[in-house]
Amino acid sequence: MQNRKEHILQNSTTPTTFILLGLSDDPNLQSALFFTFLALYIITLAGNLLIILLTLADPALHTPMYFFLRNLSFLEICYTSVNVPKMLANLLSGNKSISFIGCALQTYFDFFFGGSECFLLAAMAYDRYVAICKPLHYHVLMSQKVYTTLAVVSWLSGFLMSFGHTSMVFTVSYCGSNVINHFVCDIPPLLKLACGDTSRVEIAVFVVAMIFVTLPFILILMSYAGIITTIVKISSEARKKTFSTCSSHLIVVTLFYGSACITYLKPNSTYSPNTDKFLSLFYTVIGPILNPLIYSLRNKEVKGAFKRIWDRRPFR
């Protein structure tokens, strides 16, 4: 056993490149996957950019709720741009390599934007809580200083989370294969390539994920507990109208936290490469394209802003 351990340590090294296996090794699927993800990426950029421009152009949307929505849309553009362009390049060229530094940066920004979104969704839930439960004090409790601070704290939280995860994962020793069974540099498949016992790193990553995922989720639950308590005291018609302002946010929270919790809070023994790829695909590609659709199709104010701007177009 001791000789085996020494052999592993002697052969441990820092790889210069990793190979991303991607979603499929079937060459006949590469072109189809490329054009599918290219179309999804373009739609994601266009949809989220449209939300940003609409909420900036229409004065009626210059409120804390839409300030957070602008942040969310910008975050989604950044989040999907961390992974999809590299995936498209790999599909187009057939070269699936990524440098060690490139892999570390991809992991860092994945968790930076993912962690920021956790806390931004919590800030959006608090905004809805104040608007519904304390409407007379809304402009005091959600002043420009307050909502700007909440946004800054959300982004800083993502920075702390990503720094912790990346430093823990990329300071371990790697040996043997440099092939990552994934389409991105994700932590579970990366740790499969590490030398020796990685249980301490896995526990540390799990604890950090628990803190940065569970804490904002608890804040969201507390906000909606207050909202529900207030809603049940009003008439059914007013209840329906009031709850409709929260429905889009609830759908986004469910989609984001559902996939994130299954991916990062499940026991390592249940790790499955194909399941992990599917879940990663959901919150890195599918989620960012759904958010603008959810907020535009289910939001009368956004649709109204689009109509007003469309009616003011110079050429009719």
Side-chain angles (χ1 to χ4, degrees):
M1 181 70 181
Q2 181 66 28
N3 292 335
R4 181 175 180 273
K5 184 177 180 181
E6 290 175 356
H7 177 74
I8 291 174
L9 292 174
Q10 289 170 359
N11 286 277
S12 65
T13 183
T14 300
T16 56
T17 60
F18 288 109
I19 305 298
L20 297 169
L21 287 184
L23 292 169
S24 173
D25 55 2
D26 186 350
N28 296 322
L29 287 177
Q30 303 301 303
S31 296
L33 288 173
F34 173 81
F35 287 109
T36 299
F37 289 118
L38 177 61
L40 291 175
Y41 183 55
I42 292 172
I43 295 170
T44 299
L45 295 182
N48 284 288
L49 186 60
L50 180 62
I51 291 290
I52 293 172
L53 294 176
L54 274 177
T55 55
L56 284 172
D58 194 296
L61 302 184
H62 292 178
T63 63
M65 175 181 173
Y66 293 104
F67 169 78
F68 290 128
L69 183 55
R70 280 196 298 275
N71 273 263
L72 181 64
S73 292
F74 177 71
L75 194 151
E76 296 289 23
I77 290 173
C78 296
Y79 194 27
T80 194
S81 296
V82 171
N83 300 308
V84 176
K86 178 61 179 174
M87 183 167 61
L88 291 174
N90 291 350
L91 288 169
L92 187 63
S93 66
N95 180 9
K96 298 185 177 182
S97 64
I98 184 171
S99 68
F100 181 84
I101 297 297
C103 190
L105 287 172
Q106 189 180 71
T107 302
Y108 173 83
F109 284 109
D110 262 342
F111 284 97
F112 174 47
F113 295 125
S116 298
E117 183 162 348
C118 287
F119 283 87
L120 188 62
L121 290 173
M124 296 174 77
Y126 175 69
D127 170 70
R128 292 298 83 208
Y129 165 78
V130 175
I132 294 170
C133 302
K134 302 180 183 295
L136 298 179
H137 301 93
Y138 180 75
H139 293 292
V140 175
L141 296 175
M142 196 54 68
S143 64
Q144 183 177 4
K145 182 179 179 180
V146 171
Y147 66 71
T148 302
T149 301
L150 289 173
V152 171
V153 169
S154 298
W155 288 92
L156 286 177
S157 300
F159 166 77
L160 293 173
M161 177 182 178
S162 61
F163 180 79
H165 273 76
T166 308
S167 60
M168 285 186 288
V169 172
F170 286 89
T171 52
V172 301
S173 298
Y174 291 90
C175 55
S177 175
N178 67 336
V179 178
I180 300 174
N181 188 9
H182 212 294
F183 62 90
V184 295
C185 290
D186 202 13
I187 287 179
L190 269 169
L191 290 178
K192 293 290 182 183
L193 308 180
C195 302
D197 184 14
T198 60
S199 58
R200 289 185 179 180
V201 176
E202 290 170 8
I203 292 171
V205 167
F206 180 82
V207 170
V208 172
M210 278 288 291
I211 294 171
F212 282 90
V213 172
T214 306
L215 178 59
F217 186 64
I218 291 173
L219 295 175
I220 291 171
L221 291 179
M222 290 172 62
S223 295
Y224 275 102
I227 289 171
I228 292 171
T229 301
T230 301
I231 286 177
V232 295
K233 298 176 182 178
I234 60 180
S235 65
S236 58
E237 185 64 30
R239 186 185 307 155
K240 182 179 179 182
K241 183 179 179 180
T242 303
F243 194 73
S244 67
T245 65
C246 306
S247 58
S248 297
H249 179 260
L250 269 176
I251 294 170
V252 171
V253 167
T254 302
L255 293 174
F256 180 80
Y257 272 95
S259 57
C261 288
I262 294 171
T263 302
Y264 294 106
L265 300 184
K266 67 181 184 297
N268 193 56
S269 57
T270 63
Y271 171 74
S272 168
N274 291 332
T275 302
D276 197 47
K277 287 181 187 180
F278 173 77
L279 290 170
S280 297
L281 191 67
F282 187 85
Y283 63 77
T284 59
V285 179
I286 307 301
I289 200 175
L290 290 178
N291 287 355
L293 292 175
I294 292 169
Y295 274 102
S296 59
L297 295 178
R298 296 183 61 86
N299 192 306
K300 293 180 180 179
E301 291 178 332
V302 172
K303 288 188 286 187
F306 181 79
K307 186 178 184 302
R308 286 191 294 272
I309 292 173
W310 180 259
D311 290 341
R312 295 201 303 263
R313 68 190 187 278
F315 303 105
R316 299 189 182 186

